[in-house]
PDB file of all heavy atoms in Angstrom:
ATOM      1  N   PHE A  37     111.387  77.620 130.223  1.00  0.00           N
ATOM      2  CA  PHE A  37     110.423  77.423 129.127  1.00  0.00           C
ATOM      3  C   PHE A  37     109.807  76.032 129.134  1.00  0.00           C
ATOM      4  O   PHE A  37     109.234  75.567 128.132  1.00  0.00           O
ATOM      5  CB  PHE A  37     111.094  77.737 127.805  1.00  0.00           C
ATOM      6  CG  PHE A  37     111.287  79.209 127.551  1.00  0.00           C
ATOM      7  CD1 PHE A  37     112.552  79.783 127.670  1.00  0.00           C
ATOM      8  CD2 PHE A  37     110.206  80.045 127.260  1.00  0.00           C
ATOM      9  CE1 PHE A  37     112.712  81.152 127.492  1.00  0.00           C
ATOM     10  CE2 PHE A  37     110.400  81.388 127.066  1.00  0.00           C
ATOM     11  CZ  PHE A  37     111.678  81.949 127.177  1.00  0.00           C
ATOM     12  N   PHE A  50     118.028  74.446 123.758  1.00  0.00           N
ATOM     13  CA  PHE A  50     118.518  75.827 123.839  1.00  0.00           C
ATOM     14  C   PHE A  50     120.040  75.869 123.774  1.00  0.00           C
ATOM     15  O   PHE A  50     120.713  74.938 124.218  1.00  0.00           O
ATOM     16  CB  PHE A  50     118.097  76.476 125.202  1.00  0.00           C
ATOM     17  CG  PHE A  50     116.627  76.814 125.261  1.00  0.00           C
ATOM     18  CD1 PHE A  50     115.686  75.812 125.485  1.00  0.00           C
ATOM     19  CD2 PHE A  50     116.215  78.112 125.082  1.00  0.00           C
ATOM     20  CE1 PHE A  50     114.329  76.113 125.535  1.00  0.00           C
ATOM     21  CE2 PHE A  50     114.843  78.396 125.045  1.00  0.00           C
ATOM     22  CZ  PHE A  50     113.911  77.422 125.342  1.00  0.00           C
ATOM     23  N   VAL A  55     118.377  87.437 124.716  1.00  0.00           N
ATOM     24  CA  VAL A  55     117.556  88.111 123.723  1.00  0.00           C
ATOM     25  C   VAL A  55     118.193  89.360 123.105  1.00  0.00           C
ATOM     26  O   VAL A  55     118.146  89.562 121.895  1.00  0.00           O
ATOM     27  CB  VAL A  55     116.130  88.397 124.283  1.00  0.00           C
ATOM     28  CG1 VAL A  55     115.344  89.261 123.303  1.00  0.00           C
ATOM     29  CG2 VAL A  55     115.421  87.073 124.555  1.00  0.00           C
ATOM     30  N   HIS A  82     115.991  76.686 119.879  1.00  0.00           N
ATOM     31  CA  HIS A  82     115.014  77.749 120.128  1.00  0.00           C
ATOM     32  C   HIS A  82     115.547  79.095 119.682  1.00  0.00           C
ATOM     33  O   HIS A  82     114.844  79.876 119.020  1.00  0.00           O
ATOM     34  CB  HIS A  82     114.740  77.778 121.638  1.00  0.00           C
ATOM     35  CG  HIS A  82     113.652  78.646 122.052  1.00  0.00           C
ATOM     36  ND1 HIS A  82     112.378  78.204 122.330  1.00  0.00           N
ATOM     37  CD2 HIS A  82     113.611  79.993 122.284  1.00  0.00           C
ATOM     38  CE1 HIS A  82     111.600  79.233 122.708  1.00  0.00           C
ATOM     39  NE2 HIS A  82     112.363  80.327 122.695  1.00  0.00           N
ATOM     40  N   MET A  86     114.103  81.885 117.066  1.00  0.00           N
ATOM     41  CA  MET A  86     113.783  83.277 117.481  1.00  0.00           C
ATOM     42  C   MET A  86     114.522  84.296 116.618  1.00  0.00           C
ATOM     43  O   MET A  86     113.931  85.288 116.210  1.00  0.00           O
ATOM     44  CB  MET A  86     114.138  83.467 118.949  1.00  0.00           C
ATOM     45  CG  MET A  86     113.920  84.916 119.415  1.00  0.00           C
ATOM     46  SD  MET A  86     114.009  85.096 121.211  1.00  0.00           S
ATOM     47  CE  MET A  86     112.304  84.815 121.646  1.00  0.00           C
ATOM     48  N   LEU A  89     112.725  84.680 113.410  1.00  0.00           N
ATOM     49  CA  LEU A  89     111.504  85.501 113.571  1.00  0.00           C
ATOM     50  C   LEU A  89     111.843  86.980 113.703  1.00  0.00           C
ATOM     51  O   LEU A  89     111.158  87.816 113.124  1.00  0.00           O
ATOM     52  CB  LEU A  89     110.710  85.006 114.791  1.00  0.00           C
ATOM     53  CG  LEU A  89     110.114  83.611 114.644  1.00  0.00           C
ATOM     54  CD1 LEU A  89     109.572  83.125 115.986  1.00  0.00           C
ATOM     55  CD2 LEU A  89     109.072  83.575 113.567  1.00  0.00           C
ATOM     56  N   ASN A 121     106.793  77.542 118.608  1.00  0.00           N
ATOM     57  CA  ASN A 121     106.260  76.583 119.579  1.00  0.00           C
ATOM     58  C   ASN A 121     106.551  76.949 120.999  1.00  0.00           C
ATOM     59  O   ASN A 121     106.744  76.065 121.840  1.00  0.00           O
ATOM     60  CB  ASN A 121     106.750  75.175 119.238  1.00  0.00           C
ATOM     61  CG  ASN A 121     108.278  75.067 119.331  1.00  0.00           C
ATOM     62  OD1 ASN A 121     108.963  76.076 119.359  1.00  0.00           O
ATOM     63  ND2 ASN A 121     108.751  73.841 119.381  1.00  0.00           N
ATOM     64  N   ASN A 122     106.587  78.221 121.316  1.00  0.00           N
ATOM     65  CA  ASN A 122     106.643  78.655 122.709  1.00  0.00           C
ATOM     66  C   ASN A 122     106.134  80.097 122.765  1.00  0.00           C
ATOM     67  O   ASN A 122     106.080  80.773 121.763  1.00  0.00           O
ATOM     68  CB  ASN A 122     108.074  78.506 123.280  1.00  0.00           C
ATOM     69  CG  ASN A 122     108.010  78.067 124.750  1.00  0.00           C
ATOM     70  OD1 ASN A 122     107.265  78.670 125.556  1.00  0.00           O
ATOM     71  ND2 ASN A 122     108.765  77.047 125.106  1.00  0.00           N
ATOM     72  N   TRP A 123     105.780  80.522 123.988  1.00  0.00           N
ATOM     73  CA  TRP A 123     105.111  81.756 124.087  1.00  0.00           C
ATOM     74  C   TRP A 123     105.992  82.958 123.682  1.00  0.00           C
ATOM     75  O   TRP A 123     105.492  83.931 123.108  1.00  0.00           O
ATOM     76  CB  TRP A 123     104.580  81.984 125.506  1.00  0.00           C
ATOM     77  CG  TRP A 123     105.584  81.942 126.603  1.00  0.00           C
ATOM     78  CD1 TRP A 123     105.920  80.868 127.395  1.00  0.00           C
ATOM     79  CD2 TRP A 123     106.417  83.032 127.091  1.00  0.00           C
ATOM     80  NE1 TRP A 123     106.877  81.193 128.314  1.00  0.00           N
ATOM     81  CE2 TRP A 123     107.192  82.521 128.152  1.00  0.00           C
ATOM     82  CE3 TRP A 123     106.536  84.376 126.714  1.00  0.00           C
ATOM     83  CZ2 TRP A 123     108.120  83.334 128.806  1.00  0.00           C
ATOM     84  CZ3 TRP A 123     107.449  85.177 127.388  1.00  0.00           C
ATOM     85  CH2 TRP A 123     108.250  84.645 128.440  1.00  0.00           C
ATOM     86  N   ASP A 124     107.299  82.900 123.926  1.00  0.00           N
ATOM     87  CA  ASP A 124     108.153  84.021 123.523  1.00  0.00           C
ATOM     88  C   ASP A 124     108.265  84.125 122.024  1.00  0.00           C
ATOM     89  O   ASP A 124     108.322  85.236 121.476  1.00  0.00           O
ATOM     90  CB  ASP A 124     109.508  83.889 124.211  1.00  0.00           C
ATOM     91  CG  ASP A 124     110.272  82.637 123.807  1.00  0.00           C
ATOM     92  OD1 ASP A 124     109.619  81.614 123.535  1.00  0.00           O
ATOM     93  OD2 ASP A 124     111.503  82.683 123.738  1.00  0.00           O
ATOM     94  N   LEU A 125     108.281  82.948 121.330  1.00  0.00           N
ATOM     95  CA  LEU A 125     108.348  82.989 119.870  1.00  0.00           C
ATOM     96  C   LEU A 125     107.083  83.585 119.295  1.00  0.00           C
ATOM     97  O   LEU A 125     107.129  84.312 118.288  1.00  0.00           O
ATOM     98  CB  LEU A 125     108.598  81.580 119.346  1.00  0.00           C
ATOM     99  CG  LEU A 125     109.881  80.885 119.839  1.00  0.00           C
ATOM    100  CD1 LEU A 125     109.974  79.462 119.269  1.00  0.00           C
ATOM    101  CD2 LEU A 125     111.109  81.663 119.468  1.00  0.00           C
ATOM    102  N   VAL A 126     105.943  83.250 119.870  1.00  0.00           N
ATOM    103  CA  VAL A 126     104.697  83.818 119.430  1.00  0.00           C
ATOM    104  C   VAL A 126     104.654  85.345 119.697  1.00  0.00           C
ATOM    105  O   VAL A 126     104.363  86.109 118.805  1.00  0.00           O
ATOM    106  CB  VAL A 126     103.508  83.143 120.104  1.00  0.00           C
ATOM    107  CG1 VAL A 126     102.195  83.892 119.831  1.00  0.00           C
ATOM    108  CG2 VAL A 126     103.395  81.663 119.705  1.00  0.00           C
ATOM    109  N   ASP A 127     104.984  85.683 120.909  1.00  0.00           N
ATOM    110  CA  ASP A 127     104.788  87.094 121.312  1.00  0.00           C
ATOM    111  C   ASP A 127     105.697  88.070 120.574  1.00  0.00           C
ATOM    112  O   ASP A 127     105.324  89.232 120.368  1.00  0.00           O
ATOM    113  CB  ASP A 127     105.036  87.241 122.812  1.00  0.00           C
ATOM    114  CG  ASP A 127     104.031  86.418 123.659  1.00  0.00           C
ATOM    115  OD1 ASP A 127     103.178  85.690 123.068  1.00  0.00           O
ATOM    116  OD2 ASP A 127     104.068  86.492 124.885  1.00  0.00           O
ATOM    117  N   CYS A 128     106.863  87.616 120.185  1.00  0.00           N
ATOM    118  CA  CYS A 128     107.782  88.521 119.489  1.00  0.00           C
ATOM    119  C   CYS A 128     107.484  88.670 118.009  1.00  0.00           C
ATOM    120  O   CYS A 128     108.125  89.478 117.301  1.00  0.00           O
ATOM    121  CB  CYS A 128     109.227  88.048 119.669  1.00  0.00           C
ATOM    122  SG  CYS A 128     109.737  86.639 118.634  1.00  0.00           S
ATOM    123  N   SER A 129     106.517  87.916 117.518  1.00  0.00           N
ATOM    124  CA  SER A 129     106.301  87.879 116.073  1.00  0.00           C
ATOM    125  C   SER A 129     104.888  88.023 115.594  1.00  0.00           C
ATOM    126  O   SER A 129     104.579  88.661 114.598  1.00  0.00           O
ATOM    127  CB  SER A 129     106.858  86.557 115.494  1.00  0.00           C
ATOM    128  OG  SER A 129     106.238  85.453 116.104  1.00  0.00           O
ATOM    129  N   TRP A 156      99.753  76.976 120.494  1.00  0.00           N
ATOM    130  CA  TRP A 156     100.528  78.068 119.879  1.00  0.00           C
ATOM    131  C   TRP A 156      99.728  78.762 118.809  1.00  0.00           C
ATOM    132  O   TRP A 156      99.847  79.971 118.598  1.00  0.00           O
ATOM    133  CB  TRP A 156     101.851  77.589 119.409  1.00  0.00           C
ATOM    134  CG  TRP A 156     102.597  76.808 120.505  1.00  0.00           C
ATOM    135  CD1 TRP A 156     102.958  75.505 120.539  1.00  0.00           C
ATOM    136  CD2 TRP A 156     102.878  77.304 121.843  1.00  0.00           C
ATOM    137  NE1 TRP A 156     103.522  75.150 121.704  1.00  0.00           N
ATOM    138  CE2 TRP A 156     103.443  76.232 122.523  1.00  0.00           C
ATOM    139  CE3 TRP A 156     102.699  78.538 122.466  1.00  0.00           C
ATOM    140  CZ2 TRP A 156     103.879  76.382 123.875  1.00  0.00           C
ATOM    141  CZ3 TRP A 156     103.129  78.642 123.770  1.00  0.00           C
ATOM    142  CH2 TRP A 156     103.726  77.572 124.446  1.00  0.00           C
ATOM    143  N   ARG A 159      97.392  81.002 120.652  1.00  0.00           N
ATOM    144  CA  ARG A 159      98.050  82.168 121.178  1.00  0.00           C
ATOM    145  C   ARG A 159      98.412  83.155 120.065  1.00  0.00           C
ATOM    146  O   ARG A 159      98.295  84.386 120.248  1.00  0.00           O
ATOM    147  CB  ARG A 159      99.275  81.776 121.956  1.00  0.00           C
ATOM    148  CG  ARG A 159      99.900  82.963 122.709  1.00  0.00           C
ATOM    149  CD  ARG A 159     100.892  82.549 123.740  1.00  0.00           C
ATOM    150  NE  ARG A 159     101.540  83.700 124.376  1.00  0.00           N
ATOM    151  CZ  ARG A 159     101.425  84.061 125.653  1.00  0.00           C
ATOM    152  NH1 ARG A 159     100.647  83.385 126.476  1.00  0.00           N
ATOM    153  NH2 ARG A 159     102.109  85.114 126.097  1.00  0.00           N
TER     154      ARG A 159
END
Side-chain angles (χ1 to χ4, degrees):
F37 285 105
F50 287 80
V55 171
H82 188 100
M86 175 169 271
L89 293 170
N121 61 345
N122 217 309
W123 58 265
D124 61 328
L125 301 179
V126 171
D127 296 4
C128 78
S129 59
W156 309 119
R159 189 164 174 117

